[in-house]
Amino acid sequence: PSAGVIAKPSNQIWSMAGIATGTAGWFRFYTSDADDSGALVSGAPYFPRLDGTVGVSGADLNLSSISIVPLMPVTVDSFSWTQPANA
């Protein structure tokens, strides 16, 4: 990270296929060892989650389209997250 900002490298292609129909407006990243609540699947302590806004521009996670349809590819155009320094 540079100055506390982590960003998707512009030379990488991030894409996914929708699993439901809807309009994206929010995202959550979490470890594959945890469920959506942040609890470890095995019942161990919590892991951090990362939540943010979704849009086609000006959001934390910018997609090629915020209209999600099952099996249709969606590309992550840009992603950045700023982590404040410890006080």
Side-chain angles (χ1 to χ4, degrees):
S2 176
V5 178
I6 297 172
K8 173 189 144 328
S10 60
N11 64 340
Q12 290 184 355
I13 298 172
W14 294 5
S15 65
M16 66 200 114
I19 60 171
T21 299
T23 302
W26 167 82
F27 74 87
R28 170 171 284 167
F29 289 151
Y30 57 94
T31 178
S32 61
D33 294 333
D35 65 17
D36 191 40
S37 72
L40 262 184
V41 175
S42 64
Y46 284 87
F47 279 89
R49 295 168 300 215
L50 180 67
D51 295 298
T53 60
V54 173
V56 292
S57 68
D60 299 312
L61 179 72
N62 294 303
L63 302 176
S64 55
S65 172
I66 58 171
S67 296
I68 308 299
V69 177
L71 304 178
M72 295 299 293
V74 177
T75 302
V76 176
D77 294 333
S78 65
F79 168 77
S80 67
W81 189 263
T82 303
Q83 183 64 41
N86 290 339

